[in-house]
Amino acid sequence: MCTGQYKRKDHYYKLAKKMGFRSRAAFKLIQINKKFRVIRKGDIVVDLGAAPGGWSQVALEAVGEEGFVLAVDIKPLDIFKQNNFAFLKRDIFDEDIQQEIMDLLPRKPNVVLSDVSPNISGIWEIDHAKQISMAERTFEIAKEILRGNGGFLVKVFQGRETSDFYTKLKESFKFVKRYKPQASRTRSSEIYIVATKLKGVINRG
Ligand SMILES: C[S@@+](CC[C@H](N)C(=O)[O-])C[C@H]1O[C@@H](n2cnc3c(N)ncnc32)[C@H](O)[C@@H]1O
């Protein structure tokens, strides 16, 4: 018999197919953005851990023609044939990733998204530790490249280190909130942290 979770998985999976989204994850970003308006028209967005591209599709729609989306992933991604999209096939842990990202953007980004996940081993402590180190890395990248007042949306697998990470985000952003969108499976321990209004960066130009 189907549980509610599986029904919901089915629902978003089918809906993604029907609506032409590359992933069911696209609905998580749609729901988060509806609630928090992280991405706005004209924004420059960097999507870390972007393959197969569901979030990038949603971001492209949200920024419109005046905005720009750069997707980054260690895996290949079928590029969107639009002038306001670029793809960088890289590991987020590459040393010079910040510079490579900036070289592809028209200006400093308003928003950094991170849906990065490791391959799941099934051993909870290991998966949590790996994922949080990835989230930390994307936070480091975000802090270096974001415009002042910019926003950061990051996935975390909940566990021992989540609250320390949350505290660090609060030191850098004026608004920080945890959120689990409906499209995120109940049995999954993932949550999203929305952090906006980056402190301490002065925008020039
Ligand atoms: C859950 S998927 C992202 C789904 C995406 N948001 C979408 O809507 O299509 C997580 C992604 O993180 C990427 N990833 C994992 N480790 C990475 C790393 N070290 N550097 C860059 N990307 C990485 C994976 O290749 C995978 O595509």
Side-chain angles (χ1 to χ4, degrees):
M1 202 179 91
C2 269
T3 65
Q5 289 155 0
Y6 287 115
K7 274 185 201 155
R8 188 150 73 238
K9 173 185 169 188
D10 259 9
H11 169 67
Y12 286 114
Y13 178 81
K14 283 182 193 157
L15 206 57
K17 290 252 172 240
K18 192 171 154 195
M19 294 175 72
F21 285 118
R22 292 185 180 182
S23 66
R24 69 185 293 293
F27 293 102
K28 299 178 196 173
L29 183 58
I30 290 172
Q31 290 165 3
I32 293 166
N33 208 39
K34 192 171 173 202
K35 188 163 174 72
F36 296 99
R37 294 204 64 211
V38 184
I39 307 170
R40 292 160 190 250
K41 280 256 171 294
D43 277 354
I44 308 295
V45 176
V46 175
D47 182 10
L48 301 173
W55 277 29
S56 287
Q57 277 178 294
V58 174
L60 276 166
E61 181 70 35
V63 300
E65 285 176 12
E66 305 297 308
F68 190 91
V69 176
L70 171 67
V72 180
D73 206 290
I74 199 162
K75 286 193 215 149
L77 177 150
D78 283 338
I79 59 159
F80 299 100
K81 292 182 183 64
Q82 293 180 224
N83 292 335
N84 61 345
F85 177 79
F87 174 55
L88 179 63
K89 188 174 174 298
R90 287 285 183 283
D91 188 326
I92 51 162
F93 289 100
D94 284 355
E95 223 175 275
D96 49 0
I97 187 97
Q98 289 92 330
Q99 191 53 52
E100 291 195 64
I101 290 172
M102 288 310 298
D103 288 346
L104 291 168
L105 297 178
R107 55 183 188 274
K108 285 184 111 185
N110 308 84
V111 183
V112 172
L113 308 173
S114 168
D115 197 24
V116 179
S117 301
N119 291 326
I120 305 296
S121 72
I123 303 165
W124 178 244
E125 287 77 18
I126 293 178
D127 293 336
H128 167 63
K130 265 197 202 164
Q131 203 278 333
I132 206 91
S133 74
M134 290 175 149
E136 298 253 15
R137 174 63 177 152
T138 60
F139 174 39
E140 205 174 271
I141 297 169
K143 270 192 299 185
E144 262 187 60
I145 64 175
L146 273 174
R147 288 174 68 79
N149 249 351
F152 178 47
L153 166 63
V154 57
K155 169 161 73 189
V156 289
F157 291 176
Q158 291 184 89
R160 226 158 23 109
E161 295 174 53
T162 316
S163 81
D164 277 0
F165 182 56
Y166 189 80
T167 305
K168 280 185 214 160
L169 288 175
K170 281 184 109 168
E171 284 162 12
S172 293
F173 293 89
K174 287 188 198 144
F175 174 90
V176 181
K177 200 103 186 155
R178 292 180 177 85
Y179 186 64
K180 186 162 177 86
Q182 219 217 344
S184 172
R185 296 175 184 122
T186 324
R187 73 193 147 106
S188 152
S189 70
E190 74 181 12
I191 54 154
Y192 288 84
I193 304 178
V194 178
T196 59
K197 300 186 191 298
L198 177 68
K199 303 176 198 171
V201 178
I202 295 160
N203 293 323
R204 292 193 176 84

